[in-house]
Amino acid sequence: MTQAGSDEVDDGREVRGSVEIKDRAMSRTAIAAASKDPRVTRTTGGLSRLTGRELPRADVTLGEDTIAVNLYIGVTWPSQITEVTESVHATVEAALATMTGLHVHRVNVLVSDTTLDTGPSPTSNTEASQPISPRPPTAGPAAMPLALLFGFALLGVAFVAGREFLIAHGNLGGSPWIADAVSWISRLHWQSWMIAAATGAAVVGLFVVFIGVKPRTRTHSGLGESASTVWATPTDIARLCSAAAQSTRGVVDAHTVVTRKKIEVRVERDAAYDADRIDVGVREALAPVLSVAAGERRLTVKQSVAAPTRVS
């Protein structure tokens, strides 16, 4: 919004110039006015900024002498939404009218989120309380296949024991398997193959113990702060990085590899662009993604010149 022209002041001097108010300034004024209400929640920074779900958020439309605002807010629960929206509507309208001197044509207040307001506990020490980090998503236990196999083996033992019971009481005919097996084992003498069998049994036993105590592999990375509640796979992070890198001017294509220790972005650049300029541009484009998704990984940017396109 710009106001230009010349005015006469009381001492006879003529003052020329212009006054320009950016949309961003009016947007921030609307957000600050809405945030004065304690029932309006704030969701800023981190993943919210990356996904465009930052609240409160204001979209300002300027006419010649009027202003229209779409204001998106979050409200604590329980709250009466009509009371909150009416209060926010009046506060924002007054703040914009006071700041700009223009007619506020419309203020649309849209409730986009609700948050449970637990309130401070009377017996809790809020200063000493610390956030509890949630448990990250992990892969299934490595011992799960063996556990299933062991479970089926126990079912087999139960079946054999039941069969032996019925045979011993004369309810079922046939040869007893357990008695025959014990008799066969009792007739065995030392054989050279028993050394290999004992060694194999020891190896299998150690392997089973190892996979039983081995920690499960983490499959996701937390986004945002240490007490993150939003998780993404390395593939998701790689796609975000590739999309951000491809938005850089001069980058033809981008491919990202994400490991536990690093994020490697491989870009193909146009031969007409300088490599240092591309490196700086890619790192700036990746900054919002890395601020919430990098964790302890280090960033590496590798470049190659894209092959010229042949026109037949």
Side-chain angles (χ1 to χ4, degrees):
M1 180 187 72
T2 304
Q3 295 177 348
S6 62
D7 298 312
E8 295 289 342
V9 295
D10 293 340
D11 58 2
R13 292 178 299 170
E14 185 178 5
V15 178
R16 296 181 179 274
S18 64
V19 177
E20 181 177 356
I21 304 177
K22 297 287 187 180
D23 293 358
R24 180 179 298 179
M26 284 184 283
S27 175
R28 290 181 176 178
T29 300
I31 292 172
S35 300
K36 291 181 179 179
D37 194 310
R39 297 166 295 183
V40 175
T41 61
R42 291 184 62 85
T43 306
T44 59
L47 186 65
S48 301
R49 179 176 298 176
L50 180 65
T51 57
R53 296 181 62 85
E54 188 171 350
L55 297 175
R57 186 174 77 254
D59 296 334
V60 178
T61 303
L62 287 176
E64 292 185 1
D65 297 314
T66 60
I67 306 172
V69 180
N70 288 331
L71 182 65
Y72 303 86
I73 64 173
V75 178
T76 58
W77 185 89
S79 295
Q80 190 162 0
I81 292 181
T82 54
E83 293 182 0
V84 178
T85 54
E86 289 176 0
S87 174
V88 170
H89 183 282
T91 304
V92 171
E93 183 176 6
L96 290 175
T98 301
M99 186 188 78
T100 63
L102 299 179
H103 171 65
V104 181
H105 174 65
R106 178 176 298 174
V107 176
N108 298 322
V109 181
L110 299 93
V111 179
S112 301
D113 189 24
T114 57
T115 304
L116 178 63
D117 185 13
T118 56
S121 174
T123 59
S124 64
N125 187 356
T126 56
E127 295 181 357
S129 62
Q130 297 293 334
I132 300 175
S133 299
R135 182 176 299 176
T138 54
M144 183 178 295
L146 284 177
L148 293 174
L149 181 62
F150 186 67
F152 284 117
L154 290 179
L155 292 176
V157 171
F159 170 77
V160 173
R163 180 179 180 276
E164 295 293 313
F165 175 81
L166 295 176
I167 292 175
H169 288 75
N171 297 325
L172 184 65
S175 176
W177 292 345
I178 295 179
D180 292 345
V182 171
S183 176
W184 177 77
I185 293 174
S186 65
R187 293 194 301 269
L188 287 177
H189 298 282
W190 178 255
Q191 302 286 338
S192 59
W193 59 265
M194 293 182 179
I195 297 178
T199 304
V203 171
V204 172
L206 291 174
F207 175 73
V208 171
V209 171
F210 170 75
I211 65 175
V213 300
K214 178 185 176 182
R216 290 190 287 176
T217 304
R218 292 181 59 176
T219 57
H220 294 64
S221 299
L223 302 184
E225 303 298 332
S226 58
S228 176
T229 56
V230 180
W231 307 88
T233 64
T235 302
D236 297 330
I237 299 174
R239 288 172 178 171
L240 289 173
C241 292
S242 296
Q246 287 179 353
S247 65
T248 306
R249 184 182 298 274
V251 173
V252 178
D253 193 15
H255 177 70
T256 305
V257 177
V258 178
T259 64
R260 296 180 60 183
K261 295 184 179 180
K262 69 177 182 178
I263 297 176
E264 183 178 285
V265 181
R266 305 168 185 171
V267 299
E268 294 184 7
R269 61 180 174 86
D270 194 323
Y273 287 82
D274 181 67
D276 293 337
R277 181 179 178 184
I278 292 293
D279 185 83
V280 173
V282 169
R283 292 179 183 273
E284 290 180 353
L286 290 172
V289 178
L290 298 180
S291 65
V292 297
E296 298 180 355
R297 300 181 180 92
R298 68 179 186 275
L299 173 65
T300 303
V301 179
K302 295 185 177 181
Q303 299 185 36
S304 62
V305 179
T309 304
R310 296 182 179 179
V311 180
S312 56

